[in-house]
């Protein structure tokens, strides 16, 4: 059976299996549509350049003569670029071969015969969906001026300027803002259209009968109505009869009302959108970074942790459900997203599969913390999750949910109090170590492979000479079966992966760190 | 030191304090405000109910200002602050440990006269951050402070005529005793706590205080060695 249908199906399977075809398609998809693709930027710049030069030629052509070769370049080169771009965009919009395969398999399953005509219809419908999107229409119109037969079409070059909207994100988001207020804007337009209609007709009735030499037809009076109601008031047409002036006075008042209405709609929708735009930018910015820490909850503890993390130079982002708190976090200069950390959306935006290394659940509600922890762990079990908790029973449940570390503030207080009991000096030492506010700090020094300490006896490192107290060595710090070797003997042999845990003055410790490199 | 431990409050803080302090072989008294009496207190603890606004109620607790240690662990910082003030006016020399939930409140409690303030959230946030930036330190601190095992931080007051009296620090091999010396109060140099950086070779005399980290039995052995 050598029908064209069989050939199409076979070809579809061939494309589906071809890695080369798929990788080429992905490349073009990234180049045209993926904002996160690093080279898309260059493509966008190139397109903006082409568009601007084409518009420049149009402007120059008004008074001066454009050399023939430049005109030809504009005609052939720019058109080719646009046509190729249009076709590529249509191509990457959807996978035709997948439609074919789907239809074919469905037909096989229900043992129906697959008609070539229905197949083509499906494909056409799919691509038609692309052709009718606003941006595709603009693209198409931008190609039209290449047809030089009609002079009017030259103006359509300006549509090429509209095309630029595609390449600059800020403009698209502006349109998006207006889109959100569609209902209000339509109401406004209808309302002002209605007023212009009434006022225009009234003026025409009063002054159109040769009373006013400037009003020759209905168009003139509508033009006058629009200029007046928008409070622009050129004055090229002005009413001469008292009736006309009354109409003017009335529509100036309605005009002021309408304009303030319009301003308030746009301003409010911008202020609503502004946070979203900002968050989009944060998400985009962060999705390029690796090993981000996420703080969930910006309460008392969240704020303190954020402050400390900033001091330590750790890249982090705050997720907070409460708008005011999120706003506050932003005001403090942190990257903050107002979102629900118990849902998948925000985490997948931040690319939890690859980019997030730690999640800290710091809300004051244990149940919410568990919820967040489970959400994160179910999305990617490799993320290190630590949670705050105020109850032992809840802590058990958290460990059951594979939370890596549970920290109970009240427990810490209890522990510290137990140390204090009868030993106030030891407690003071402990406090200054825990707080890390003084110059005396507790720090760790990692022994990396082939560094100074790797394979050496502890004696040879001469830690004491560096004015640092060695508390112990943590072996296999990164793994689960880490072991703290307290006060190791002088002939203890260090090896890569060990961490020296020391107490000392900040400078002394950094000296030792340098030595151990 | 055979004084009592008095815990004010049995909320989320007080509960944990009780859990850790009751294991120290000392008399522990739990005091709660009769107005905010919490019915979930386990039956084995018999809390004293007082009205913290009345000085008479507090004096009735029979606090020995020289020996006893008071923990202010009410849920509300305002109550803790009030308690610290009333205790300080009643007993000038009393040791008070107060629990605070912010740096700001810690300052107020210190001002009111608390001997030491445990800044809960500060300590917690430190732990969260350390876990990220200094995992080894966190694990070490866990071993020393938070986990219930042999390893602990302790202070030793040198007795008069101890076995190491008048010796210099450099002459003593602490490592051999299984002890890591962290800080010292050298009475000859005042009451100031100084961390050991091997810069000054302190002379050890009776009354000096050593702050050490050690295993429990090593510590006991060392203390008995001092007395020998």
């Amino acid at each position: 059976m050598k029908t064209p249908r069989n050939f199409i199906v076979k070809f579809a399977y061939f494309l589906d299996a071809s890695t080369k075809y798929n990788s080429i398609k992905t490349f073009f998809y990234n180049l045209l549509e993926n904002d996160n693709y690093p080279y898309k930027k260059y493509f966008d710049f190139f397109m903006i350049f082409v568009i601007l030069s084409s518009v420049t030629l149009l402007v120059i052509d008004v008074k001066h003569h454009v050399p023939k070769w430049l005109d030809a370049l504009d005609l052939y080169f720019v058109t080719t670029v646009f046509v190729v771009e249009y076709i590529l965009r249509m191509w990457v919009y959807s996978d035709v071969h997948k439609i074919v395969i789907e239809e074919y398999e469905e037909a096989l399953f229900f043992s129906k015969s697959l008609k070539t005509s229905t197949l083509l219809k499906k494909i056409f419908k799919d691509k038609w969906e692309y052709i009718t999107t606003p941006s595709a229409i603009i693209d198409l119109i931008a190609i039209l001026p290449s047809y030089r037969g009609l002079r009017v079409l030259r103006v359509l070059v300006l549509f090429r300027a509209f095309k630029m909207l595609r390449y600059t994100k800020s403009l698209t988001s502006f349109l998006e803002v207006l889109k959100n207020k569609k209902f209000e804007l339509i109401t406004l337009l209808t309302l002002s259209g209605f007023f212009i209609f009434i006022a225009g007709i009234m003026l025409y009735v009063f002054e159109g009968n040769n009373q006013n030499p400037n009003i020759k037809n209905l168009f003139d009076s509508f033009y006058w109505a629009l200029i007046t109601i928008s409070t622009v008031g050129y004055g090229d047409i002005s009413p001469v009869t008292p009736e006309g002036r009354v109409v003017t006075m009335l529509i100036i008042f309605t005009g002021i009302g309408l304009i303030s209405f319009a301003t308030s709609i746009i301003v409010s929708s911008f202020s609503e959108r502004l946070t979203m735009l900002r968050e989009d930018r944060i998400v985009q910015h962060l999705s390029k970074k690796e090993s981000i820490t996420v703080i969930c909850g910006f309460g008392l503890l969240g704020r303190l942790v954020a402050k400390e993390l900033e001091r330590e130079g750790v890249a982090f982002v705050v997720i907070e459900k409460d708008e005011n708190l999120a706003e506050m976090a932003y005001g403090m200069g942190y990257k903050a997203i107002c979102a629900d950390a118990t849902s998948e959306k925000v985490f997948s935006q931040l690319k939890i599969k690859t980019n997030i290394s730690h999640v800290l659940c710091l809300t004051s509600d244990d149940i919410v913390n568990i919820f967040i922890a489970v959400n994160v762990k179910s999305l990617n079990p490799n993320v290190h999750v630590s949670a705050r908790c105020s109850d032992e029973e809840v802590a058990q449940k958290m460990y059951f949910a594979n939370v890596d570390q549970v920290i109970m503030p009240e427990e810490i207080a209890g522990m510290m109090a137990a140390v204090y009991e009868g030993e106030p000096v030891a407690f003071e030492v402990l406090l200054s170590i825990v707080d890390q506010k003084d110059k005396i700090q507790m720090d760790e020094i990692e022994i990396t492979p082939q560094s100074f300490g790797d394979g050496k006896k502890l004696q040879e490192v001469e830690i004491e000479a560096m004015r640092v107290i060695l508390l112990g060595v943590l072996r296999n710090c990164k793994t689960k079966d880490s072991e703290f070797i307290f006060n190791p003997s002088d002939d203890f042999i260090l090896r890569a992966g060990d961490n020296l845990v020391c107490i000392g003055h900040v400078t002394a410790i950094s000296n030792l760190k340098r030595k151990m490199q | 030191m055979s004084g009592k431990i008095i815990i004010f409050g049995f909320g989320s803080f007080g509960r944990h304090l009780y859990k850790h302090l009751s294991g120290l072989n000392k008399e522990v008294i739990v005091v709660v405000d009769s107005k905010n009496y919490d019915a979930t207190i386990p039956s084995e603890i018999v809390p004293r109910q007082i009205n913290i606004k009345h000085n008479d109620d507090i004096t009735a607790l029979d606090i020995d200002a020289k020996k006893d240690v008071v923990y202010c662990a009410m849920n509300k910082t305002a109550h803790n602050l009030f308690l610290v003030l009333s205790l300080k006016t009643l007993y000038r020399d009393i040791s008070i440990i107060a629990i605070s939930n912010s740096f700001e409140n810690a300052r107020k409690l210190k001002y009111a006269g608390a001997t030491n303030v445990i800044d809960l959230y500060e300590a917690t946030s430190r732990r969260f951050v350390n876990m990220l930036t200094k995992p080894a330190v966190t694990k070490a601190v866990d071993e020393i402070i938070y986990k219930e095992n042999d390893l602990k931080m302790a202070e030793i007051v040198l007795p008069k005529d101890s076995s190491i009296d008048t010796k210099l620090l450099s002459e003593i091999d602490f490592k051999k005793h299984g002890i890591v010396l962290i800080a010292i109060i050298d009475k000859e140099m005042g009451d100031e706590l100084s961390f050991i950086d091997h810069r000054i070779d302190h002379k050890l005399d009776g009354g000096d205080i050593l702050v050490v980290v050690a295993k429990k039995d090593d510590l006991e052995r060392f203390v008995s060695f001092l007395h020998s």
Side-chain angles (χ1 to χ4, degrees), chain B residues 11-22:
Chain B
S12 49
F13 305 141
R15 236 168 260 259
H16 282 91
L17 282 184
Y18 181 81
K19 194 180 107 193
H20 291 285
L21 294 173
S22 58

Side-chain angles (χ1 to χ4, degrees), chain B residues 149-207:
Chain B
N149 56 11
D150 285 353
L151 211 55
K152 62 174 275 190
M153 186 178 264
E155 67 182 73
I156 303 167
V157 184
L158 288 188
K160 272 203 158 49
D161 311 315
S162 72
S163 58
I164 57 171
D165 200 30
T166 68
K167 278 195 179 162
L168 293 173
L169 266 187
S170 55
E171 293 175 304
I172 304 154
D173 188 1
F174 285 100
K175 197 164 218 160
K176 197 184 76 193
H177 293 285
I179 279 172
V180 174
L181 181 63
I182 292 178
I184 185 170
I185 294 182
D186 191 345
K187 291 283 176 190
E188 277 177 325
M189 304 173 79
D191 278 338
E192 208 179 316
L193 179 81
S194 53
F195 280 84
I196 303 296
D197 56 5
H198 309 285
R199 206 171 308 214
I200 304 162
D201 207 0
H202 295 275
K203 190 168 84 102
L204 300 167
D205 307 290

Side-chain angles (χ1 to χ4, degrees), chain A residues 146 151 207 285 321 359 375 407 419 469 489:
Chain A
S146 313
R151 191 67 197 161
E207 304 195 349
H285 178 77
K321 211 174 173 182
V359 173
N375 181 30
I407 293 177
V419 175
I469 307 163
S489 65

Side-chain angles (χ1 to χ4, degrees), chain A residues 293 300-301 304-305 308-309 311-312 314 358 360 362 384 386-388 390 392 405 407 409-437 440-444 458 464 467-471 474 477 479 482 484 486-490 499 501 503, chain B residues 1 5 12-13 16-17 19-21 24 26 69 71 95 97 99 101 103 115-118 120-137 139-148 151-155 174-175 178-183 185 193 195-199 209 211 213-215:
Chain A
T293 299
L300 215 54
L301 189 61
L304 280 169
V305 171
E308 301 268 357
L309 282 180
R311 213 180 56 191
E312 300 277 352
V314 177
H358 289 82
L360 312 176
L362 303 180
H384 186 283
S386 41
R388 167 221 182 135
S390 53
E392 278 102 346
Q405 188 132 20
I407 293 177
E410 291 84 0
E411 182 82 10
I412 289 179
M415 293 285 195
M416 286 170 75
V419 175
Y420 178 82
E421 192 41 44
E423 302 187 327
V425 183
F427 181 73
E428 209 167 296
V429 171
L430 178 79
L431 266 193
S432 68
I433 289 172
V434 171
D435 280 357
Q436 308 218 333
K437 288 265 159 63
I440 302 291
Q441 291 204 350
M442 195 158 166
D443 208 341
E444 61 192 57
L458 207 52
E464 282 188 11
R467 311 198 180 291
V468 169
I469 307 163
L470 177 72
L471 213 54
L474 195 81
C477 175
T479 57
S482 62
F484 182 62
F486 171 69
N487 199 14
S489 65
D490 281 340
N499 269 281
V501 179
I503 298 174
Chain B
M1 292 250 203
I5 294 171
S12 49
F13 305 141
H16 282 91
L17 282 184
K19 194 180 107 193
H20 291 285
L21 294 173
L24 294 173
K26 283 191 181 180
V69 180
Y71 290 87
S95 315
I97 316 297
I99 292 190
N101 54 15
F103 184 68
T115 328
N116 256 308
V117 178
I118 298 177
L120 201 61
Y121 286 104
E122 193 78 26
T124 313
S125 81
R126 253 285 132 210
R127 251 173 89 68
F128 270 111
V129 173
N130 268 352
M131 219 161 49
L132 289 180
T133 55
K134 297 175 179 174
V137 166
K139 281 182 185 168
V141 171
D142 277 359
E143 297 281 337
I144 296 167
I145 306 169
Y146 299 114
K147 272 194 197 155
E148 282 174 29
L151 211 55
K152 62 174 275 190
M153 186 178 264
E155 67 182 73
F174 285 100
K175 197 164 218 160
I179 279 172
V180 174
L181 181 63
I182 292 178
I185 294 182
L193 179 81
F195 280 84
I196 303 296
D197 56 5
H198 309 285
R199 206 171 308 214
I209 300 172
V211 177
V213 176
K215 290 203 172 99

Side-chain angles (χ1 to χ4, degrees), chain B residues 57-72:
Chain B
D57 280 12
I58 295 175
T59 43
L61 291 171
D62 228 3
I63 296 173
D64 183 345
K66 290 263 156 31
K67 287 183 186 163
D68 297 350
V69 180
V70 177
Y71 290 87
C72 297

Side-chain angles (χ1 to χ4, degrees), chain A residues 120-143:
Chain A
L120 286 178
K121 222 189 257 166
K122 271 249 156 116
I123 294 169
F124 179 72
K125 203 179 142 204
D126 192 57
K127 291 298 178 192
W128 182 250
E129 231 170 67
Y130 170 73
I131 293 169
T132 50
T133 55
S135 43
I137 293 171
I138 289 179
D139 281 356
L140 193 65
I141 297 175
I143 298 173

Side-chain angles (χ1 to χ4, degrees), chain A residues 275 278-280 282-283 286 295 298 316-320 325-331 333-339:
Chain A
T275 35
R278 199 172 63 203
E279 284 173 5
D280 278 356
I282 289 172
V283 168
L286 283 175
I295 296 179
F298 200 64
F316 69 91
V317 56
V318 177
I319 299 179
E320 166 63 56
L325 287 175
E327 192 58 35
M328 180 171 144
Y330 182 76
Y334 305 134
K335 297 198 170 65
I337 299 173
C338 183

